Amino acid sequence: MKASVIIPSRRARATLNRALESINLAALDFGKDIEVVVSWDQEGKGPSWARNRGLERARGEYIFFVDDDDTVKPDFFKKPLEALERTGADLCFFTYPNGPRLSSYVLSDNQEVRAAYLPAFFGYSFADVKRWNEGGALDLLKEPGQVWRVAFRRSFLEKHSLRLDEKLTYFEDAAFLASAVAFAEKTVSISDELYEYHPNEEGNLATGWKSPRHWQYKFLIHAARKELDKKCGGEIWKYCEASPALTALEMLKENRGSLIAYLADEKVRSSISSFPLSFRHPLVVIGILVLRGIMKCF
């Protein structure tokens, strides 16, 4: 089996039929070498759970993901498979209309891969903050972290036991991609727009923002970052070391009930203590100084 495409879905609906039609069209030239795995999540356990169940069933040499309310373009399989087989890469990145503009290139060293992609998916670094303090954009290096804009070599996923974190029900894609690029030895990027993203106003991001789940996520993603950093020998925390301080600032403003528990974590305290300050951002300076004062109290 050349490739498997995994579709998480909670219910059969018109958009799923539309997605399947576009996938079947893209798979025409491959005959039976493309399998479609619809992973049903009828109990609402979340997209991570559904995608992981799909990975358990997948038999293809390569793995693609598609959401049940999106569609793909005719070369969705052809272009990434050509790139992966030509280069022997573990991952192939591509894009979509109005998505990030990509150039075509290969990275053949794990350290190069980490340096290129962890700033996009893993969090905010002190380097990001220093650039912001000098007048640049804080999110200059960030990219959307959806798994459906990447094709994966299945043997690579199995070698490193890479699965989505089922505790995360949104932003789970970026956490998974961070794990993948942390271990990848070779990646290929192609400039083609191969996926048709149809934004869903009732999706997880829309319904989860500032909800209790949003704040629970902050603790979960912090734990996930620490766990991945531990697996990588402490070599990748530098790519997200500013994120705990930024989250603490958000809690100071929006959810002080969670703040004390968050400040109990050693890496959170270290992030706040070392956070680069600039009077270009006086409210941030005040917030960080307040947080440092609170930390002295316990």
Side-chain angles (χ1 to χ4, degrees):
M1 187 68 64
K2 179 62 66 178
S4 301
V5 54
I6 297 170
I7 310 173
S9 187
R10 289 196 61 178
R11 55 192 177 275
R13 53 183 179 176
T15 57
L16 175 59
N17 291 333
R18 182 183 65 188
L20 291 172
E21 288 174 2
S22 69
I23 290 168
N24 289 337
L25 180 62
L28 276 178
D29 292 338
F30 293 90
K32 295 182 179 180
D33 278 340
I34 304 291
E35 70 167 353
V36 178
V37 179
V38 179
S39 185
W40 296 105
D41 177 24
Q42 295 175 331
E43 297 181 8
K45 293 183 178 179
S48 295
W49 180 91
R51 287 170 177 149
N52 284 344
R53 302 294 81 74
L55 283 169
E56 291 171 0
R57 293 164 49 197
R59 298 173 295 155
E61 184 180 353
Y62 302 98
I63 299 293
F64 292 77
F65 292 96
V66 173
D67 284 354
D68 69 353
D69 50 1
D70 294 334
T71 54
V72 303
K73 293 195 172 183
D75 285 340
F76 178 69
F77 297 112
K78 180 183 177 184
K79 293 292 184 68
L81 290 175
E82 287 177 348
L84 285 164
E85 296 193 333
R86 182 182 73 252
T87 63
D90 300 313
L91 315 173
C92 177
F93 289 87
F94 47 88
T95 190
Y96 55 98
N98 300 315
R101 297 182 64 182
L102 301 182
S103 57
S104 298
Y105 61 91
V106 176
L107 297 175
S108 300
D109 176 80
N110 175 249
Q111 294 302 315
E112 288 183 336
V113 173
R114 289 179 177 182
Y117 289 110
L118 284 176
F121 306 128
F122 198 44
Y124 291 95
S125 67
F126 286 156
D128 292 327
V129 175
K130 289 175 182 177
R131 182 179 60 250
W132 185 46
N133 288 343
E134 294 168 358
L138 179 63
D139 61 353
L140 177 66
L141 302 179
K142 306 308 166 195
E143 290 186 15
Q146 303 98 331
V147 293
W148 41 252
R149 67 183 201 87
V150 184
F152 302 83
R153 187 178 296 271
R154 187 161 68 92
S155 60
F156 162 74
L157 297 179
E158 298 303 323
K159 176 182 177 180
H160 297 285
S161 302
L162 293 176
R163 293 292 185 269
L164 289 99
D165 188 336
E166 295 182 17
K167 297 186 296 296
L168 298 178
T169 56
Y170 66 126
F171 291 116
E172 71 285 346
D173 301 53
F176 180 69
L177 285 186
S179 297
V181 300
F183 291 106
E185 296 294 336
K186 179 182 284 191
T187 63
V188 59
S189 169
I190 58 178
S191 61
D192 302 81
E193 297 177 350
L194 302 177
Y195 193 91
E196 292 277 8
Y197 172 51
H198 303 282
N200 180 1
E201 294 182 358
E202 297 180 357
N204 279 332
L205 286 178
T207 59
W209 185 248
K210 302 302 182 186
S211 69
R213 187 178 64 171
H214 171 83
W215 301 110
Q216 180 189 31
Y217 161 80
K218 296 295 186 180
F219 287 88
L220 292 173
I221 196 61
H222 181 65
R225 285 176 176 139
K226 289 199 298 181
E227 181 180 356
L228 181 58
D229 180 60
K230 183 178 179 180
K231 290 179 179 178
C232 294
E235 296 180 357
I236 61 172
W237 187 257
K238 62 184 178 182
Y239 294 106
C240 72
E241 59 190 341
S243 291
L246 293 171
T247 294
L249 286 171
E250 188 180 356
M251 289 180 177
L252 182 65
K253 179 181 178 182
E254 303 282 354
N255 183 17
R256 296 183 183 179
S258 298
L259 181 59
I260 298 303
Y262 195 67
L263 293 179
D265 184 274
E266 180 181 348
K267 283 196 175 292
V268 172
R269 296 168 71 89
S270 176
S271 176
I272 294 168
S273 297
S274 302
F275 193 86
L277 298 178
S278 167
F279 285 99
R280 283 180 181 270
H281 309 291
L283 293 180
V284 172
V285 172
I286 293 170
I288 290 293
L289 293 178
V290 169
L291 291 170
R292 290 174 181 174
I294 294 172
M295 291 192 315
K296 291 180 180 179
C297 297
F298 66 96

